[in-house]
Amino acid sequence: MHVLYQTWPWYISGFGIGMILLILIWFGKTFGMSSNLRSLCSIAGAGKFVPFFNFDWRAQRWNLAVVLGTMLGGFVAVHFMSDPTNVDINPKTIELLGQYGIDAPNGKLLPDALFSADALQSPKTVFILVIGGVLIGFGSRYAGGCTSGHAITGLSNLQLPSLKAVIGFFVGGLIMTHLILPLIFNK
Amino acid sequence: MILKAFKYIAAGFVFGIILTKSEAVSWYRIFEMFQFQSFHMYGIISVAIATGLIGIQLIKRKKVKDIKGNPIVVPDKEKGNARYWIGGTIFGLGWALAGACPGPIFILIGAGYWSLLFVLAGALIGTFLYGVIQRFLPH
């Protein structure tokens, strides 16, 4: 039983994610998480101001149901299926994080230095989280998809545009991790 | 309505558990991946793509019908350059900064990590911003 509480191996997890993609295709839908952000903007009334949001989001309700499911899944996995061996990352990574003043995982999914209630007292942390979100939202809509839509679905379907987008994801990620994060966390 | 929604909620539920238990939702795992200090995330992404690739090929060759009996069509992505290179890079910057992509943002909020609400708020602002300036951008 406890093997379920430990970190799931990459080959099982990857296979599971691939199967979710195939099941959604079998349901007659396309796997993609970021399009829900557009739906949420439309539900909030953005269509009155910007034509891009004036679309039939009701046709996307199935995807919002997927989102609801992911939230429930996250709740169950975190509260009932976790144990202290989780997030056993490379000791070299932990050492590097230490230099940035970021706490080691010790079983946690997220660093307290960025996500704890205490950290949110600092305007800098809130700014980091909001700007991170803005880049994610803007970038995924500009590129027409995120990790699920391009990296998983697009590459599975041998789409050249998705390959360009995924190369972009990694270029951006490497620039952030190696050039910008050291500036942000430099004490 | 509820019954129709149930299969999507169930698919999402399993997806949420897999992403959490594989730790793809973890800021640490994303940081470690971009430091090239673990194979874990690369393994997850590669096996997911391989599974999808084989499945989609089988669906196309065997002409599998969807749940309602309609032929399955996996839509092609629009051709383009700027939107994929630039949009992708902008997304990557955010992915590595917040340590979450859109799926994990929702998953973590569901799990009770309320600080992700700031990331979600930012993501909605970013999406809105794209809608506003879309026609001025090269695609």
Side-chain angles (χ1 to χ4, degrees), chain A residues 4-8 13 17 69-82 86-87 107-109, chain B residues 12-26 29 40-41 44 103-104 106-111 113:
Chain A
L4 282 180
Y5 297 0
Q6 292 162 10
T7 305
W8 290 10
S13 310
I17 294 167
T70 65
M71 295 175 76
L72 296 171
F75 181 84
V76 168
V78 166
H79 293 279
F80 306 111
M81 299 172 68
S82 293
N86 293 165
V87 201
K108 294 182 282 119
L109 285 172
Chain B
F13 182 73
V14 176
F15 182 60
I17 290 184
I18 296 172
L19 247 61
T20 307
K21 288 316 298 169
S22 68
E23 296 162 2
V25 300
S26 168
R29 287 291 183 192
H40 186 73
M41 288 299 305
I44 294 173
F106 294 116
I107 293 170
L108 289 166
I109 291 172
Y113 293 100

Side-chain angles (χ1 to χ4, degrees), chain A residues 5 7-8 13-14 26 29 50 69 71 79 81 87 90 93 103 109 111 115 133-134 136 142 156-157 159 164 178, chain B residues 8 13 21-23 26 28 32 34 37 48 53 60 66-67 76-77 80-81 83 100 106 111 115 123 131 138:
Chain A
Y5 297 0
T7 305
W8 290 10
S13 310
W26 181 57
K29 309 293 180 191
V50 184
M71 295 175 76
H79 293 279
M81 299 172 68
V87 201
N90 191 329
T93 313
D103 45 302
L109 285 172
F115 295 95
V134 169
I136 291 166
Y142 191 4
S156 291
N157 197 27
Q159 297 293 304
K164 296 173 188 171
H178 293 271
Chain B
Y8 297 114
F13 182 73
K21 288 316 298 169
S22 68
E23 296 162 2
S26 168
Y28 290 111
E32 184 191 41
F34 284 126
Q37 286 174 330
L53 185 83
K60 285 183 176 170
D66 72 12
I67 198 166
D76 284 341
K77 308 280 179 193
N81 275 307
R83 67 176 305 180
F106 294 116
S115 40

Side-chain angles (χ1 to χ4, degrees), chain A residues 26-46:
Chain A
W26 181 57
F27 289 165
K29 309 293 180 191
T30 318
F31 184 37
M33 283 287 135
S34 65
S35 30
N36 292 299
L37 297 167
R38 185 184 178 200
S39 300
L40 290 176
C41 284
S42 295
I43 292 170

